[in-house]
């Protein structure tokens, strides 16, 4: 009798395989980081073959640690870094170029040229829910076809496939060149700028404007259904692949935000806040994204408003690796606690421009408010506070779009272990911040989706009953003080704008 569900969590910096039991508890974990490739300023790439190799390795790690075999696994679910685009040859199985990561800004010129066709950044928004921005996968695929020798001719001959990372993994997991499934789920498809939110199908007019042959596009499926079985020669041989969600939708699913009006915020490489808007796709007037939240089988899709922040946890990595301000990511809390406040220092990490709610690709990072009084502790505190301030920007936009003020925020992701940050987050938002007992909500969401598809769990009510609160942070700062900090943050953001000129390379 199958006793566990496997989840493959392919993130921006690492790949994990996690095994969950029926209570949603972690049985075993395998994890491995992959290389971050920075060929030029603003360019971020991953080696898709390395990611596939690491995926197989971490599956082996998890099975070994959990002392389980493929026969013990009821199903596997997949969750992935969204918007990161891969283009590969269907006959050789080899990518024609590195995967272009969601943070990458090289498509800025493509995005501007598409906007100049009419409508600017809003050109496709009424159909796809997204502004024209370098963030999304469609323009990345166009860049590869335009810039890799021979790629366009191969694509037009029908020899190339494209997809986000879950598409690449599922294709390989189900056989690759020997009959691999070329599919994408609705949550990931909604991040390409190519899927019509109303019909859940590819918009052929947009694909034509981006000069992407429709033969490259995967078949769109729901988030919870049996897609196929893992290839016979793999460690998961015969296991149903039955769930797939983009990482932020997976975290929303893992936080059991199944009711309209529920929201979560994930603190990872970037921050991503999603608000369940039910069966209505709510158009944002305040810089948020309208996106697919999830679809279970052939049921009606559920939509969300999303605020995407490019740089939060990766800022901690940056001050560790590039500035050597700290020796390890966990050290930043102690350094920040060495001072009482930020000393007037603000750090706006617009490394890839600013995402929600600004959508300014011309912005670049800035540290402002420096005086000789500012020391290492103040800088560390400013790094953490940047995450909280950016989250407030998104929350205010979400409240304005939805017409309902959020009363609490469910949180997950690696940074929620930082208690100083969580308390400051509650202070600057003015609402309680709540951490669940099972913090691995992204992988858990993928497991839940797969488990529902094969009857491992009966329904959403059973999943909701598993959610439990671990810790709650209540606002403790005077509102006037929090508002003053936030006002200064707004001034700091203004200093980052209009930095990139037309003649910058």
């Amino acid at each position: 009798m199958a006793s566990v569900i496997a989840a493959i969590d392919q993130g921006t910096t690492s790949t994990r395989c996690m095994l969950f039991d029926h209570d949603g508890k972690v049985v075993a974990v395998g994890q491995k980081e992959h290389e971050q490739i920075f060929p030029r300023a603003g360019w971020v790439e991953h080696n898709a073959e390395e990611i596939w190799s690491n995926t197989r390795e971490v599956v082996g790690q998890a099975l070994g640690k959990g002392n389980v075999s493929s026969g013990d696994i009821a199903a596997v679910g997949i969750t992935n870094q969204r918007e990161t685009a891969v283009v590969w040859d269907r006959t050789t199985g080899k990518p024609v170029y590195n995967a272009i990561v969601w943070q990458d800004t090289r498509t800025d010129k493509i995005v501007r040229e598409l906007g100049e066709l009419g409508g600017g950044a809003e050109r496709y928004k009424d159909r796809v829910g997204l502004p024209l921005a370098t963030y999304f996968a469609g323009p990345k695929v166009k860049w590869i076809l335009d810039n890799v020798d021979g790629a366009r001719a191969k694509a037009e001959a029908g020899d190339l496939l494209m997809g986000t990372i879950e598409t690449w993994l599922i294709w390989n997991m189900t056989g690759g060149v020997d009959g691999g499934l070329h599919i994408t789920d609705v949550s990931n498809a909604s991040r390409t700028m190519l899927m019509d939110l109303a019909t859940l199908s590819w918009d052929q007019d947009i694909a034509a404007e981006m000069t992407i042959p429709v033969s490259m596009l995967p078949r769109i499926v729901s988030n919870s259904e049996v897609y196929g079985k893992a290839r016979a020669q793999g460690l998961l041989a015969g296991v149903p692949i039955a769930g797939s969600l983009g990482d932020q939708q997976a975290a929303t699913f893992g936080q059991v935000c199944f009711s309209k009006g529920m929201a979560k915020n994930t603190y990872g490489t970037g921050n991503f806040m999603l608000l369940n808007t039910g069966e209505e796709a709510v158009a944002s007037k305040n810089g948020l994204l309208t996106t697919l939240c999830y679809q279970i089988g052939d049921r009606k899709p559920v939509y969300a408003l999303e605020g995407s922040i490019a740089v939060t946890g990766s800022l901690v990595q940056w001050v560790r690796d590039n500035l050597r301000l700290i020796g390890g990511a966990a050290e930043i809390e102690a350094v920040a606690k060495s001072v009482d406040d930020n000393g007037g220092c603000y750090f706006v990490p617009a490394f890839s421009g600013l995402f929600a709610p600004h959508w300014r690709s011309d912005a670049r990072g800035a540290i402002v408010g420096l005086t000789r009084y500012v020391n290492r502790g103040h800088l560390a505190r400013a790094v953490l506070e940047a995450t909280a301030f950016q989250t407030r920007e998104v929350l205010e936009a979400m409240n304005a779009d939805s017409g309902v003020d959020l009363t609490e925020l469910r949180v997950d992701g690696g940074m929620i272990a930082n208690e100083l940050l969580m308390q400051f987050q509650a202070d600057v938002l003015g609402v309680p911040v709540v951490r669940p007992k099972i913090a691995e909500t992204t992988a858990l969401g993928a497991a839940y989706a797969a488990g529902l598809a094969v009857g491992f769990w009966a329904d959403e009510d059973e999943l909701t009953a598993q959610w439990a609160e671990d810790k709650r942070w209540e606002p403790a700062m005077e509102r006037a003080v929090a508002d003053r900090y936030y006002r200064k943050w707004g001034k700091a953001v203004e200093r980052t704008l209009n930095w990139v000129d037309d003649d910058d390379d």
Side-chain angles (χ1 to χ4, degrees):
M1 190 74 175
S3 58
V4 296
I5 294 284
I8 293 170
D9 179 1
Q10 203 300 295
T12 307
T13 57
S14 71
T15 305
R16 294 188 298 175
C17 178
M18 303 189 73
L19 305 179
F20 294 92
D21 66 15
H22 195 270
D23 294 328
K25 293 178 181 175
V26 178
V27 174
V29 182
Q31 182 166 1
K32 187 173 185 180
E33 291 191 359
H34 56 266
E35 183 185 5
Q36 304 297 307
I37 303 166
F38 306 104
R40 291 166 61 176
W43 292 28
V44 190
E45 298 176 1
H46 292 157
N47 181 334
E49 290 187 283
E50 180 190 9
I51 286 174
W52 168 228
S53 175
N54 287 1
T55 299
R56 287 173 286 169
E57 185 172 334
V58 299
V59 167
Q61 290 175 8
L63 296 184
K65 290 177 183 177
N67 194 28
V68 300
S69 67
S70 59
D72 299 310
I73 302 172
V76 58
I78 295 167
T79 181
N80 58 289
Q81 51 167 321
R82 305 169 304 170
E83 300 95 17
T84 296
V86 190
V87 174
W88 70 97
D89 190 311
R90 68 163 74 234
T91 58
T92 66
K94 299 289 186 183
V96 301
Y97 189 79
N98 280 336
I100 301 182
V101 179
W102 57 272
Q103 302 154 308
D104 190 285
T105 59
R106 78 184 69 187
T107 57
D108 187 53
K109 184 179 178 184
I110 290 172
V111 163
R112 281 188 277 116
E113 288 174 348
L114 288 168
E116 287 165 3
L117 297 174
E122 307 285 298
R123 180 167 181 78
Y124 307 131
K125 196 170 183 185
D126 62 335
R127 285 176 276 171
V128 303
L130 312 173
L132 271 166
T134 59
Y135 182 23
F136 305 110
K140 301 180 196 298
V141 173
K142 174 175 169 53
W143 187 94
I144 291 173
L145 298 183
D146 289 347
N147 290 276
V148 175
D149 285 347
R152 182 161 295 285
K154 278 190 170 185
E156 290 173 353
D159 292 334
L160 297 188
L161 302 176
M162 64 79 72
T164 39
I165 293 291
E166 89 297 343
T167 299
W168 166 247
L169 291 182
I170 292 172
W171 187 79
N172 279 293
M173 290 174 69
T174 54
V177 296
D178 296 319
L181 293 172
H182 187 219
I183 59 174
T184 185
D185 67 82
V186 288
S187 67
N188 278 295
S190 75
R191 314 299 293 195
T192 61
M193 216 188 297
L194 294 165
M195 189 190 81
D196 187 303
L197 281 179
T199 65
L200 308 188
S201 59
W202 299 120
D203 188 307
Q204 301 209 10
D205 292 337
I206 297 176
E209 285 193 1
M210 291 193 194
T211 64
I212 297 173
V214 293
S215 61
M216 297 181 70
L217 302 177
R219 178 168 59 91
I220 300 174
V221 297
S222 80
N223 300 111
S224 179
E225 62 179 275
V226 176
Y227 312 124
K229 292 186 176 180
R231 64 200 178 105
Q233 62 270 47
L235 289 171
L236 297 174
V239 176
I241 300 172
S244 177
L245 297 116
D247 53 8
Q248 303 314 317
Q249 286 93 337
T252 308
F253 211 80
Q255 286 274 34
V256 297
C257 293
F258 299 135
S259 300
K260 183 178 178 179
M262 295 183 73
K264 69 88 200 175
N265 196 28
T266 297
Y267 296 72
T269 302
N271 264 37
F272 303 89
M273 190 185 300
L274 270 74
L275 172 73
N276 183 327
T277 62
E279 294 175 5
E280 179 188 5
V282 175
S284 175
K285 298 180 175 64
N286 295 281
L288 302 180
L289 309 176
T290 305
T291 196
L292 242 294
C293 195
Y294 61 86
Q295 182 188 27
I296 298 174
D298 58 3
R299 293 194 223 165
K300 288 185 177 179
V302 173
Y303 296 90
L305 281 170
E306 176 176 333
S308 308
I309 302 166
V311 178
T312 54
S314 57
L315 178 58
V316 177
Q317 293 175 322
W318 186 83
V319 298
R320 177 196 68 192
D321 299 338
N322 292 43
L323 296 190
R324 311 287 185 188
L325 185 75
I326 51 175
E331 186 184 331
I332 196 164
E333 183 172 9
V335 177
K337 278 183 173 177
S338 69
V339 294
D340 294 330
D341 55 37
N342 64 17
C345 174
Y346 292 80
F347 197 149
V348 185
F351 296 158
S352 305
L354 290 169
F355 283 15
H358 306 283
W359 297 108
R360 293 289 296 264
S361 60
D362 63 329
R364 286 297 178 268
I367 305 173
V368 301
L370 293 178
T371 63
R372 289 195 66 181
Y373 171 70
V374 171
N375 62 29
R376 176 171 172 251
H378 297 120
L379 280 172
R381 201 169 186 106
V383 165
L384 295 180
E385 291 181 355
T387 293
F389 289 132
Q390 290 180 100
T391 298
R392 177 165 167 179
E393 289 180 323
V394 167
L395 182 66
E396 289 187 348
M398 206 162 268
N399 288 343
D401 274 339
S402 67
V404 179
D405 287 351
L406 201 68
T407 56
E408 70 173 30
L409 184 64
R410 291 188 175 187
V411 298
D412 53 70
M415 294 182 82
I416 67 171
N418 190 311
E419 305 232 349
L420 178 66
L421 170 59
M422 291 297 99
Q423 182 58 58
F424 188 76
Q425 185 69 91
D427 289 342
V428 81
L429 293 181
V431 299
V433 169
V434 184
R435 182 172 68 195
K437 279 192 174 176
I438 302 175
E440 303 293 351
T441 54
T442 302
L444 182 62
Y448 278 168
L452 285 175
V454 298
F456 190 79
W457 289 290
D459 52 32
E460 294 97 306
D461 289 341
E462 185 177 4
L463 302 181
T464 299
Q466 290 187 359
W467 191 92
E469 181 178 312
D470 175 53
K471 184 162 183 176
R472 175 179 294 255
W473 289 269
E474 297 284 349
M477 185 181 289
E478 291 182 21
R479 293 311 302 154
V481 175
D483 289 343
R484 185 176 73 248
Y485 280 136
Y486 185 60
R487 185 184 73 241
K488 298 287 278 187
W489 165 261
K491 292 176 71 174
V493 169
E494 289 174 12
R495 270 57 174 183
T496 71
L497 305 179
N498 297 309
W499 184 259
V500 179
D501 296 325
D502 288 341
D503 60 352
D504 282 341
D505 187 0

